[in-house]
Amino acid sequence: MMRIAGRRLSSLSRWSPSSSAPATSTQLSRIQPSNGDDGSSRSISTPHLLNSGFRDLIRGFSSESLAPSHDLGSISDLPPTVAALKNPTSKIMYDEHNHERYPPGDPSKRAFAYFVLTGGRFVYASLIRLLVLKFVLSMSASKDVLALASIEVDLSSIEPGSTVTVKWRGKPVFIRRRTEDDIKTANSVDVGSLRDPQEDAARVKNPEWLIVIGVCTHLGCIPLPNAGDFGGWFCPCHGSHYDISGRIRKGPAPYNLEVPSYTFMEENKLMIG
């Protein structure tokens, strides 16, 4: 556009009065007084001459690509961009160098699109996996609980007829080493007369050793060993009596003392849990 304006300015600088004299004389002849009655009337072509010359001067400084010549009848105060939008023409050229667009599925961009989609899906899958693991691990037992899930007990130091209390999963466990008289007494009981009928052989794996959880089945108290009317355990809270096999014989307790899961690892080793 600056080149066009420079060319127009150079053409105006080469303009001379002689080149425009015929046109001027022709136009001036149209403004001579007429032979009418009053002798004062003049032709109205003078403003048209002035407007035409002024328009040619303006056209020299304007861009034909922005404002066509047939639309310069009056001076416009609009910016060139607005004028171009209002007066579209095929001569306007746009630079699309920085606005290149690729159609969907362009082969040159396909690898990048696959990489972005695959990476995003991998991130989403990792997050979902992490959330699932966190949820599952939150429902599992903690380390301190797992540490107390099982306990080993050395039985070599327990004397016959005595009871030892150990802690397992936060509960007391009674380990009693029974004598031959204790075993005979436990087997001589009429099972039909018991509140919670259960034979002694079903409560022990080795008749010499009785392992029960030391929690009263009434209200959760801890019975006293080697006490009560039947030589087993006695709960002083509400007066429940258990025999040498841990079976309820008297008092408000409804069930026998619970037998935990245990295994004899060696001759003098016991695994509870």
Side-chain angles (χ1 to χ4, degrees):
M1 189 172 72
M2 297 299 296
R3 293 179 179 178
I4 296 174
R7 294 173 183 174
R8 294 301 175 89
L9 289 176
S10 61
S11 62
L12 289 176
S13 62
R14 292 192 302 269
W15 177 78
S16 61
S18 60
S19 61
S20 60
T24 306
S25 60
T26 305
Q27 297 294 337
L28 290 178
S29 64
R30 298 172 61 182
I31 63 173
Q32 296 299 326
S34 61
N35 294 326
D37 296 335
D38 53 357
S40 62
S41 63
R42 294 178 179 272
S43 174
I44 60 173
S45 61
T46 302
H48 179 267
L49 175 62
L50 295 177
N51 289 338
S52 176
F54 192 62
R55 184 168 60 248
D56 293 339
L57 180 61
I58 294 174
R59 188 179 297 123
F61 292 98
S62 63
S63 176
E64 292 182 356
S65 62
L66 295 179
S69 59
H70 62 272
D71 290 336
L72 288 175
S74 60
I75 301 176
S76 175
D77 295 333
L78 298 177
T81 304
V82 179
L85 293 175
K86 290 188 175 182
N87 303 309
T89 177
S90 59
K91 296 181 180 180
I92 299 178
M93 302 298 295
Y94 296 97
D95 186 8
E96 297 291 344
H97 180 268
N98 296 327
H99 303 279
E100 188 175 1
R101 295 292 184 266
Y102 293 96
D106 186 75
S108 62
K109 297 294 182 180
R110 191 171 300 165
F112 177 75
Y114 288 164
F115 174 77
V116 172
L117 293 176
T118 305
R121 292 171 181 173
F122 177 77
V123 172
Y124 295 152
S126 301
L127 292 177
I128 293 174
R129 175 181 174 274
L130 181 61
L131 292 177
V132 171
L133 289 178
K134 289 288 186 180
F135 178 74
V136 172
L137 293 178
S138 65
M139 296 187 296
S140 61
S142 58
K143 293 183 178 180
D144 55 346
V145 175
L146 293 176
L148 297 175
S150 60
I151 184 174
E152 293 184 8
V153 182
D154 186 10
L155 303 177
S156 60
S157 60
I158 302 177
E159 297 295 332
S162 62
T163 303
V164 175
T165 303
V166 296
K167 187 178 181 180
W168 174 69
R169 294 183 180 179
K171 300 178 182 180
V173 176
F174 297 148
I175 302 175
R176 182 174 182 124
R177 187 173 184 178
R178 301 190 297 183
T179 62
E180 292 294 334
D181 295 338
D182 294 337
I183 297 173
K184 291 179 180 179
T185 302
N187 290 325
S188 63
V189 176
D190 183 13
V191 179
S193 63
L194 300 177
R195 183 179 303 171
D196 186 12
Q198 194 174 17
E199 294 183 357
D200 181 71
R203 296 177 57 81
V204 295
K205 294 183 178 181
N206 186 347
E208 185 180 359
W209 299 97
L210 175 68
I211 296 94
V212 293
I213 297 177
V215 177
C216 180
T217 57
H218 180 220
L219 293 177
C221 303
I222 299 177
L224 301 177
N226 301 324
D229 297 343
F230 301 92
W233 290 267
F234 170 70
C235 182
C237 298
H238 300 91
S240 297
H241 297 259
Y242 299 90
D243 63 7
I244 201 66
S245 186
R247 296 171 293 192
I248 182 65
R249 301 293 295 273
K250 184 179 178 180
Y255 304 107
N256 302 331
L257 293 178
E258 182 181 356
V259 178
S261 59
Y262 63 93
T263 305
F264 289 99
M265 301 177 62
E266 299 175 3
E267 183 179 358
N268 294 322
K269 287 287 185 179
L270 176 68
M271 171 73 75
I272 302 176

